[in-house]
Amino acid sequence: MTDSIQTSFDTDVVIIGGGPVGLGLAIELGQRGIHCVLAERHTQTQPIPRGQNLTQRTMEHFHFWGAEPQLRAARTIPPEYGIGGLTAYGSLLSNHHYDWLQRELVKPYYFKDNERLPQYETEKVLRQRLAALPTVKTLFGWGAEQITQDNQAATVTLKERSGQQQQVIRAKYVVGCDGSRSPTREQAGITQTLSDHDRCMVLLVFKSQELHTLLARFPGKSFYNVLHPELKGYWKFFGRVDLGNTWFFHAPVPMGTTADNFDFKKYLHESVGAEFEIEFQHIGFWDLRFALADRYRAGRVFIAGDAAHSHPPYGGYGVNSGFEDARNLGWKLAAVLQGWGDDALLDSYDAERRPVFASTIDDFIAKSIETDRAFLDAFDPARDAAAFDRAWAERSQGAVGEVHAFEPHYEGSPVVWQAHLASHVCSAKGSHQFKARAGHHLAPAMLSNGQNVFDMLGDGFTLLAIGTGSTATQVLVDAAAKAGVPLTVLHEAQGSEADRYEACWILVRPDQFVAWVSEENTIDPNEAHKLFKCVRGQHDHATH
């Protein structure tokens, strides 16, 4: 085939990488009327079961993307079967185990329940949703060859993987959602900070009905991790791909291990604590490491998902963090492209999301490895059974606390009013509360009209006015109009479930985080003006 170069169209945003994060971002932008081109080098979804645990917060994204029913219908484990986790000591069938990652404990603070299905099924649902959006052009089977930028635009040269055709697309912005080895990140000159744990990990995908029978003693569990003294805090991690037949398994293996020089059947049998039939479908390897980009933006180029941050698949943080990147960056790009957001609003994507993931690494994933290592060094049931049992019971309570403590928030954000004091920082570590707090996710509440507030939120900002007068509310409406900020107003009398927000006014962002909250009955017009300048990215730090 001869080379051919097409420069026939321009677009607002080029998204490089059509995994779950790229697809989610394309939907977020496309629904907001932003024209995008999404380029994904694979024509078909890749059948490797990863990214399976979708949190309640992620399911809120699917609700707003109009794809929640389709995602739940694609579930590979029946809804009546639980999707909880289990931690065991020594082997899965040992006498020491407790419930782990019980995300259902924080369900009251979110509008939707969590879900579990393989990433390739999630991607199929997202691809179907994206196909219904005329604002998005998809190029499956195309990869990015080159990215350049100037003051006016970014230029992406795409190449068809199965041939020699090229397309040169000039766009206002480019977002790399192209994985942990992101060419977009490299071409944009964005460096990363790596934390290498020097561990080679294996990923096994296998079929075994006998394992399902063996684990029948743990009803309602879909994933399991095994702590073993020899692994120094690193996990052996099992998960169901479907109910009763297909499984995946992550675990450390010696450096230099290949598919042919290691007895994986024996390794699985030891990990479970019993022998069972196994039919391998996939044997692959990956390096256990943490990576965090030193910035998420370089001019007109942004990165999201694994391109911005990567880590071991412990706890299901990765794909959920990537979806949150997409929601955060998506509404901000739309705001700027629609003319009501300032360029500094785009800088807040890095200011909010990067510290949250740094905290996810330090306060949850790496910390869990260190905590497990210390526990395994200190306690051994063969040495002191009573001491081990006491410590094991304490761990089970700690597992509950960790679920409540993982509450990503944007306290300290430059576009959250009155939240960025010197002592406040964006972090993954917080606490779940019904009270509305600036920089935090809005909890759901039933309004007096019988609808949940989440069903009433607008596409732009939403002002929830609880028991306030119309004159005072108009001050905020006028300030929003002057700043050009799209605003939906919800008037709510006191006496409904919204009272638990403990506020008169709550300004909710397009991503359902609270931008401002007030318990005062009256609002100064000058303060209202400053508020809406702040949330659109036009701010003066001295005024905050």
Side-chain angles (χ1 to χ4, degrees), residues 287-321:
D287 296 323
L288 190 153
R289 68 172 189 171
F290 297 97
L292 180 62
D294 296 320
R295 52 188 174 135
Y296 284 10
R297 180 188 188 184
R300 293 183 173 275
V301 180
F302 298 82
I303 52 175
D306 285 353
H309 46 75
S310 58
H311 63 84
Y314 288 6
Y317 296 107
V319 71
N320 296 295
S321 295

Side-chain angles (χ1 to χ4, degrees), residues 83-250:
I83 55 177
L86 178 111
T87 292
Y89 176 84
S91 68
L92 280 185
L93 300 181
S94 75
N95 293 324
H96 295 99
H97 50 81
Y98 57 78
D99 290 346
W100 171 70
L101 209 64
Q102 303 170 72
R103 287 204 168 107
E104 67 274 9
L105 296 174
V106 296
K107 168 64 177 72
Y109 304 97
Y110 296 91
F111 181 49
K112 293 295 178 179
D113 205 353
N114 56 345
E115 192 53 272
R116 178 178 173 81
L117 73 169
Q119 181 172 304
Y120 50 82
E121 296 293 346
T122 301
E123 289 183 14
K124 289 176 185 176
V125 170
L126 290 170
R127 285 190 179 202
Q128 291 169 0
R129 174 68 186 110
L130 194 59
L133 295 175
T135 45
V136 182
K137 177 182 177 67
T138 54
L139 295 171
F140 293 116
W142 290 75
E145 291 283 293
Q146 187 179 39
I147 304 166
T148 59
Q149 62 174 312
D150 54 37
N151 291 334
Q152 284 74 43
T155 302
V156 181
T157 302
L158 299 173
K159 183 177 179 181
E160 189 180 24
R161 293 190 74 200
S162 62
Q164 295 300 315
Q165 288 197 66
Q166 286 187 337
Q167 296 190 38
V168 179
I169 305 175
R170 195 164 168 81
K172 295 172 184 174
Y173 297 100
V174 174
V175 185
C177 304
D178 45 352
S180 60
R181 303 189 185 278
S182 169
T184 304
R185 184 186 64 236
E186 293 179 4
Q187 292 201 45
I190 298 174
T191 56
Q192 349 175 56
T193 297
L194 302 177
S195 176
D196 194 340
H197 282 239
D198 290 324
R199 285 291 185 280
C200 177
M201 304 289 287
V202 68
L203 167 60
L204 305 175
V205 182
F206 62 94
K207 290 184 177 293
S208 178
Q209 293 181 348
E210 284 186 12
L211 181 57
H212 174 66
T213 302
L214 285 169
L215 297 182
R217 68 190 67 185
F218 306 125
K221 302 301 179 189
S222 292
F223 50 102
Y224 318 76
N225 77 73
V226 180
L227 300 180
H228 196 284
E230 292 179 359
L231 300 183
K232 306 297 182 185
Y234 299 100
W235 297 349
K236 298 176 180 178
F237 186 73
F238 289 85
R240 297 180 183 273
V241 179
D242 53 35
L243 185 60
N245 196 29
T246 313
W247 308 78
F248 70 86
F249 175 77
H250 290 282

Side-chain angles (χ1 to χ4, degrees), residues 296-368:
Y296 284 10
R297 180 188 188 184
R300 293 183 173 275
V301 180
F302 298 82
I303 52 175
D306 285 353
H309 46 75
S310 58
H311 63 84
Y314 288 6
Y317 296 107
V319 71
N320 296 295
S321 295
F323 281 133
E324 197 69 62
D325 292 346
R327 289 299 303 284
N328 188 293
L329 178 59
W331 76 264
K332 292 172 181 177
L333 278 171
V336 172
L337 289 164
Q338 290 165 351
W340 61 269
D342 276 24
D343 185 72
L345 184 62
L346 298 180
D347 289 331
S348 74
Y349 166 61
D350 176 287
E352 292 181 345
R353 295 301 302 151
R354 202 162 62 86
V356 164
F357 201 82
S359 170
T360 302
I361 292 174
D362 295 341
D363 296 324
F364 293 92
I365 308 172
K367 182 181 178 182
S368 72

